Amino acid sequence: MELIGSTQMATYTRPKTSHFLPAISTTASSYRSHQPALTLNQNSNMPWRTNSYFRSGSAIPTISALQRENMDLVRAKTMFYPSNRTALSTRYMPEDWYKSNQSNYRESESSRNSAERLRRDTIRMIQDKDQMTRRTQDTTSKNIGERLNDISFWRSELNHEIDNMVTEISVLTDVKRRLERALAETEGPLQVSQECLFHREKRMSIDLVHDDVEKDLIKEVEVIKSCQERMRRHLDRAIAQLASNRAAQHELERDLSDKVTAQRIDDRCHHLRNTSDGISYYRGIDRMDPSISLPDSWSKFTDDNILHSQSERAASHKLRDEIEILLNATSNEMWNQFNSVNVSFTNRISEMADAKNNLQAHLAKTLQEIFQTETLIEALKKAIRDKENPLKVAQTRLEERSRRPNIELCRDNPHHRLVTEVREIEDTIHKLRERLREAENTLQTLVKTKVTLEHDLSVKANSLFLDQEKCMGMRKSFPSTPRLVGYT
């Protein structure tokens, strides 16, 4: 006999189609259930509503809920006996029950198989992912090690190039100092040459001539100024080249500093392990930054810095060679012109000395001639004086004889002789006076010549003093070749 009713968890999904019992809906007023109606969707093939059961059972019951369930249980015990039911509910068949069990078995077995397959796949996946993670980490460590080797290589290249650049800067600085000293040494010879020109401007009269010495002095000034100009140009180039060398060195040192920092960071990363301290999560750190460099651009940057430094070193070495050639060339040019000026001075001094000696000889002769001319003038004057008395005597005789009386006033031989004597004496006095005037004129000429010779002799002495004492005395201080090339 079948019992009419159900347990608290049982649910009937549909009424049986019976004609002798009224519909369930007709007995709704006589069936009072104090339990809340369940509104969950039910599957017609799943009559026991296991999902709702486990879902409701998963919640933690409270005290009020437990009391409410106890009251409902009492009501159910008093209300749901067959004798109290007003109508019969639909029954399941045994085949449905077996089918439901078999379905549950199959579903349980399928769930277990799925769970076991999932568990095996998950374990295999975990093992594969662990191996892949270890391989990836090993590969990353290997790549970091290779990166450290690359950084070490470029560090050594940078250190080598920096050492070469420091050496080149030191050598170029020494050459620049030599060039500065050589340029400073040219000021002395230039001042000497200009002083020589200024001193030679003090020559007087005819000696103020544009001679070979003056031409060579002017050329020497031009040569020294030309050498100074070339030295200044090369000095400016050396200063600019030193600035370029230091800029290249700064770029190398900055690149080297970045390499040292990167090597320290990569070395710390290379030694990091899964058990290391200081490891943490950094969300979003793996995003690609478009501003970072690539391996090709990274190596090209350092290679460009090294190539730039090498080109600057080559230019610096070339400039040093040019400066060396310039120092030797300017030293030779100035020394050659210095020797040429000295030769001109020597020749001019020799000519001046010869002229002075000749002037002195001529002056001595002129003085001697002046003395003799003065003696001659005195002799002529004495001769003229000596002729006065004979003339007086002859004229007195004529005058006395002119007082002869009458016939005695005769032009006899004595008279003719006295006239002739007077005329001869007067002619002699006239000639002596003419000769005296000539002698006096000659004496004046000799005196003028003496004055001219003495003036010219003083001019020559002044010129000789300027060239020999002033100019050649200053030119003894001309710097030596080592000083002209900047070694001292």
Side-chain angles (χ1 to χ4, degrees), residues 186-398:
T186 59
E187 292 297 331
L190 178 62
Q191 186 176 1
V192 167
S193 300
Q194 291 174 344
E195 286 292 331
C196 289
L197 287 173
F198 294 149
H199 282 306
R200 285 177 63 82
E201 289 296 321
K202 298 176 183 178
R203 292 175 298 169
M204 297 180 295
S205 185
I206 193 61
D207 277 11
L208 193 61
V209 63
H210 186 62
D211 53 3
D212 293 337
V213 177
E214 188 171 356
K215 293 177 182 177
D216 288 337
L217 281 173
I218 294 174
K219 185 177 179 181
E220 185 178 34
V221 171
E222 293 175 353
V223 167
I224 294 175
K225 288 185 177 180
S226 175
C227 293
Q228 286 180 343
E229 182 63 26
R230 284 181 289 170
M231 287 181 180
R232 290 191 184 96
R233 287 200 302 267
H234 281 75
L235 183 60
D236 294 338
R237 289 179 57 192
I239 293 172
Q241 187 61 50
L242 278 174
S244 300
N245 290 351
R246 291 192 179 98
Q249 179 188 358
H250 175 70
E251 292 295 329
L252 293 174
E253 290 175 347
R254 185 174 63 177
D255 195 2
L256 179 62
S257 176
D258 295 342
K259 292 285 187 298
V260 171
T261 303
Q263 188 177 22
R264 184 174 64 252
I265 293 173
D266 284 348
D267 185 69
R268 186 168 61 248
C269 293
H270 185 65
H271 289 87
L272 280 179
R273 297 294 181 268
N274 295 332
T275 57
S276 299
D277 297 332
I279 59 177
S280 179
Y281 288 109
Y282 297 93
R283 301 298 181 185
I285 196 64
D286 55 343
R287 293 191 183 96
M288 181 62 67
D289 186 359
S291 64
I292 62 177
S293 62
L294 298 176
D296 293 338
S297 62
W298 174 79
S299 59
K300 186 178 184 299
F301 177 78
T302 303
D303 189 45
D304 290 343
N305 286 336
I306 293 175
L307 290 177
H308 177 66
S309 176
Q310 290 175 350
S311 65
E312 292 296 337
R313 281 197 300 112
S316 178
H317 187 274
K318 181 180 179 182
L319 179 60
R320 285 194 293 110
D321 292 339
E322 292 178 358
I323 292 175
E324 290 288 347
I325 295 172
L326 173 68
L327 289 175
N328 293 326
T330 54
S331 175
N332 293 331
E333 289 177 9
M334 287 187 287
W335 262 107
N336 292 334
Q337 188 60 32
F338 172 76
N339 293 328
S340 177
V341 173
N342 288 346
V343 170
S344 298
F345 263 114
T346 302
N347 295 333
R348 186 61 177 172
I349 290 171
S350 178
E351 293 176 358
M352 200 77 65
D354 293 339
K356 182 181 177 183
N357 294 332
N358 293 330
L359 287 173
Q360 288 176 344
H362 283 282
L363 180 60
K365 292 178 181 180
T366 302
L367 292 175
Q368 181 66 30
E369 190 64 32
I370 288 173
F371 174 74
Q372 292 177 357
T373 304
E374 289 177 348
T375 304
L376 176 63
I377 290 173
E378 292 298 328
L380 288 171
K381 289 180 178 180
K382 184 177 180 300
I384 292 172
R385 287 194 305 268
D386 292 340
K387 297 299 184 290
E388 290 179 355
N389 290 328
L391 180 61
K392 289 178 181 180
V393 172
Q395 288 180 352
T396 301
R397 286 175 177 178
L398 284 175

